[in-house]
Each structure stands twice: as structure tokens, then as C-alpha cells.
Amino acid sequence: MKKNIYLLYLLACALIVTAYATPVLGQEILVTYRGEVGEPIGVGVLDVSTCSFSTVDTALASQLTRPSFSYNPSGELYALDVTNGNFYSVDLNDGSALYISSFNTNFGEIQFVNDSIFYAIRLEGMIGAVGIANVNTGETEILTTTETDPVGYGTGLTIRNDSLYYGDAFGIHYMDRENFQNSEMVIPIDFFAEGPTDDMVTLQLSCDSTITYGFRWAPIEERYFMDIIDFENQQRIDIGCELPHRVVSTASPLELTPPACTLVVDPDLDDSTAPLLSYAADTACAPGALPVVDADAGIESELGYVDSIRVLLAGTLDGAAESLSFLGQDSIQVSGGGSALLLSAPLRPSIQAWEQALQALRYSNTAMPLQAGERQVRFIAYAANNVSDTAHARLPLFSSTPSAGEDASVTACPGAA
């Protein structure tokens, strides 16, 4: 078996130019803030690395009474009007907002979880605390407080390691989107002594390193601060950054676009070029279903996980008679069929489980007789926004038994499957 693996990684956009012609670069974030009593909600840019704050042209989605912004992973900017639940796509060239749909009720903050779906949370109301919307279809859903229990009304949303977090008067909470009953408070606070966190933003510092900033309102002093949210030690860290305004909403393209990370699928780690099956010189026929990787096939992911692997069969001289199948492994699911499979796992099993999943792939050929020649199995792995280069496993099919030691993946006897 031969392989040809050279991995390049998709670099997420490093520069997003906003409508006011001011680039949001590095650790700069787009914010909405409350000014003095009676003043409208303002829009600004905050450089979290220097704690420097600047206002921007109010033309940015100016038709919105109180905008809450969020980027999707592709760097597209969207806005929710907090007062009525209308949401819009924002033109990054002129700041105009194009209406998409509405929750038809007030919502306080939005956070994208992928290119099309965002979650929204409400500070107060009568019908439900959590909303879900699809910007491609305009579909919306408001979940009741019974459905989302113990998740209740709150402020701010951020996504960290594919998990949502939000704040309320009592602390910072984890929101389990798959099973809301698993949601829990992770950092308790004292509302009057410390002040609540109005919003949070998580920035990807590297492919496996994040930092979360929280925007705290100290109600007794009426002062505003930016903290670091330390989830590992369950605390907020005052970094001495006092802000001139109360930040109520934040957005950054870095929340969902981590830098490129190493992602490798290797069908044969030791480059042994050994047969997939240990054929003796007198091997008569190959079995009906054959593995497609070597016994030492491996996966490397700098993120520590894999979202999915696409498996494609090419060079099928016998057409539809040739197919791939998956025997199953851990929580990994399979979709597709024939010459194209997609392995995916929403529960994120271990890298070892993914390697075992590669071992559970099988090639079959029901043609009679088989046509000798080389087939290829191609592997493409996905993790967050990282995509591996295509890895290739060669499957030479012979019409007779090869000599002992010959580099043969499959030996197919004439007329045998």
C-alpha cells in the first residue's frame, strides 16, 4: 500500500473589514454600549490587548434601535434588534442591514454556532428564554423555560470549545445545547459586591488555546470593567481594564474561526508498504470484504478532536459493484453509501476511536469476474474550520495471487468476489 499525504490547512480569514471602513484586526472586537441616560445605544471597537476603546460611525446598522452583533464562521456579520427580535444581515461595505426574519419579541444577545444557526437569549419575558434561528431559511424557534430548564433568562452569550456560556445576576453558566438538563452554573458571583457580567467574548489565540473576556457592570459604583473569565479555576480575573461605557454586546470573527491546526490522516504511519492482508504465496482468493488502511493507520489533530472524515473510493473499474462500508465504532455515525461515506460524531469520541473507525472501513466488490487494476481510497478529515489534505490509500487488485512479499492490497481470483 502506498500513500501520498501532504497536509495544508485552511487559514480562516484574518481580516474582516467592517461597514465603517475600520478593520477589526487581531484582538479587536465590535461592541455595542450604553451611553449616558437618554443617549442611544452606541457602536464601538475595543482592542482587548490594550484596553483601548473607540466609537465608530453610527451608520452601522443605524436603522436598528438596539443592535446586538454576531459573526458567523465565514466572517459574515449579522445583527439582532433587541427591542423586537428582528434580525438582519449587515453589509460590510456600507453598513446597511437587510431584514431576514423575526422572533417577534425582544431578545438580548445572539451567538452563532455555525454558518447558519444562531442562539439568542432573553433578559426577561413571558414565553421563553432561549431562541434558535436559521439565517438561511429565516426559521425561528423559541424554547419555553420548561424545555430549557435549568437554563433561564440571562445576558450575553459566548461560544468556547463548541460550548455555549451565558451570564445572569447569579453567575456564569454552561448551556448544554444537546440536553439542557446538563446545563449548570460554573462561576457564581455576588451581584452587589462584584457586579454581573453583561456579555462575554471568546477569542481563539491559537488552534487549541482560547481566552474569554467578560464585561462587568459594578452597579453600586456605576463603573464598567473588562475581566478575564477563567473557566478552569472558576473565577473572574480583574485585569485593571476600566471602560468608559457599559458594554452590552460583543462580536468577533475570532470566536468561531480558530487559526489553522495540524490535522493529519495517515493510512500507513510506518510507510511499510506492506499488504493490507498478510498473504502467503499460496493465497487462493481474497475474502469478500477487505480493510482499506494498514494496521498502523493514524490520525493527528492539534485540536485534540475530529468532527468528521469523508471517505471516497476512486478508480472503480467495476462501477457500482464496488463499494465501501463501515462496521461501526464508538459513537461514530456513517452516512452515504457506495463509493462515498461520511463518518461523523457529534459527541466527539477520542482520536483512538477515530483510528479504530478507519480500521472498521471495508472495501467490497461483487463483480464477476473482477477487473484487475488499482483503486484508491481517499480520506479528508475535518475539525472546526480545519481541513486536512487528501490522504490516499492504494488498493491494487490482481487477477492472480502475487508473489510473496509483493506490494499487493487485494488479491482477487477470477470469478470470485
Side-chain angles (χ1 to χ4, degrees):
M1 180 182 64
K2 304 287 187 181
K3 68 184 178 85
N4 178 19
I5 307 173
Y6 300 98
L7 289 111
L8 299 174
Y9 307 99
L10 297 182
L11 180 62
C13 60
L15 169 63
I16 302 296
V17 179
T18 58
Y20 41 88
T22 300
V24 175
L25 295 167
Q27 293 193 45
E28 291 180 340
I29 60 174
L30 185 65
V31 302
T32 53
Y33 62 90
R34 292 180 180 175
E36 300 298 326
V37 176
E39 292 183 357
I41 292 291
V43 180
V45 170
L46 174 62
D47 187 332
V48 297
S49 64
T50 61
C51 189
S52 56
F53 191 102
S54 59
T55 58
V56 299
D57 187 345
T58 56
L60 180 62
S62 58
Q63 64 266 47
L64 278 65
T65 305
R66 184 181 163 189
S68 172
F69 295 103
S70 184
Y71 290 93
N72 70 2
S74 295
E76 299 164 326
L77 184 62
Y78 293 83
L80 174 82
D81 193 327
V82 172
T83 60
N84 53 28
N86 296 348
F87 52 95
Y88 307 77
S89 62
V90 179
D91 190 314
L92 294 175
N93 295 312
D94 60 17
S96 62
L98 177 64
Y99 176 82
I100 300 174
S101 187
S102 180
F103 287 107
N104 296 310
T105 186
N106 61 302
F107 265 96
E109 174 69 7
I110 63 172
Q111 174 63 59
F112 275 89
V113 296
N114 56 39
D115 262 340
S116 58
I117 304 296
F118 72 77
Y119 278 66
I121 194 163
R122 306 177 74 199
L123 178 61
E124 58 185 3
M126 296 297 292
I127 57 176
V130 177
I132 306 172
N134 186 319
V135 296
N136 291 336
T137 65
E139 295 175 290
T140 62
E141 180 182 9
I142 300 176
L143 305 178
T144 67
T145 50
T146 300
E147 291 177 298
T148 61
D149 184 60
V151 175
Y153 298 101
T155 60
L157 280 171
T158 191
I159 187 165
R160 176 181 177 270
N161 299 334
D162 201 39
S163 296
L164 283 178
Y165 294 85
Y166 70 100
D168 65 11
F170 305 102
I172 295 171
H173 305 255
Y174 160 67
M175 181 192 298
D176 190 325
R177 309 197 306 271
E178 303 298 327
N179 184 350
F180 285 98
Q181 291 183 352
N182 293 331
S183 303
E184 61 180 350
M185 181 187 294
V186 293
I187 303 177
I189 65 168
D190 185 313
F191 179 89
F192 293 104
E194 304 173 90
T197 295
D198 284 325
D199 196 19
M200 295 174 285
V201 63
T202 299
L203 306 183
Q204 298 278 351
L205 300 181
S206 64
C207 75
D208 61 352
S209 176
T210 63
I211 187 169
T212 300
Y213 294 96
F215 297 88
R216 174 166 51 94
W217 167 46
I220 295 178
E221 301 172 297
E222 199 58 45
R223 296 168 68 187
Y224 320 111
F225 301 91
M226 181 178 71
D227 302 323
I228 289 178
I229 309 298
D230 182 356
F231 287 97
E232 282 71 24
N233 296 299
Q234 297 182 321
Q235 62 180 334
R236 297 185 300 183
I237 302 173
D238 187 340
I239 57 175
C241 174
E242 184 168 358
L243 302 172
H245 305 288
R246 182 179 175 184
V247 172
V248 294
S249 176
T250 58
S252 169
L254 292 181
E255 272 198 293
L256 284 166
T257 52
C261 305
T262 301
L263 183 60
V264 179
V265 178
D266 191 335
D268 183 7
L269 283 173
D270 63 5
D271 298 328
S272 63
T273 68
L276 289 177
L277 300 178
S278 298
Y279 286 107
D282 60 352
T283 298
C285 296
L290 299 165
V292 298
V293 298
D294 205 14
D296 66 348
I299 297 172
E300 179 185 357
S301 172
E302 196 172 354
L303 282 171
Y305 64 84
V306 171
D307 289 324
S308 61
I309 298 177
R310 192 171 298 279
V311 187
L312 305 170
L313 177 64
T316 52
L317 300 177
D318 291 312
E322 303 183 53
S323 63
L324 296 170
S325 60
F326 179 57
L327 302 181
Q329 171 62 37
D330 202 271
S331 60
I332 296 171
Q333 303 168 357
V334 63
S335 58
S339 61
L341 301 180
L342 178 65
L343 305 182
S344 60
L347 299 180
R348 285 192 173 166
S350 66
I351 295 298
Q352 182 181 15
W354 278 106
E355 292 172 340
Q356 292 170 348
L358 294 180
Q359 301 289 344
L361 290 166
R362 293 292 183 268
Y363 164 83
S364 299
N365 192 327
T366 59
M368 291 187 180
L370 304 179
Q371 294 194 54
E374 181 180 284
R375 278 70 165 168
Q376 283 191 353
V377 181
R378 301 171 181 173
F379 308 87
I380 306 171
Y382 303 84
N385 290 323
N386 300 280
V387 182
S388 74
D389 196 12
T390 303
H392 301 269
R394 290 177 51 200
L395 272 68
L397 268 67
F398 291 80
S399 57
S400 60
T401 303
S403 302
E406 185 173 350
D407 182 18
S409 293
V410 178
T411 300
C413 299

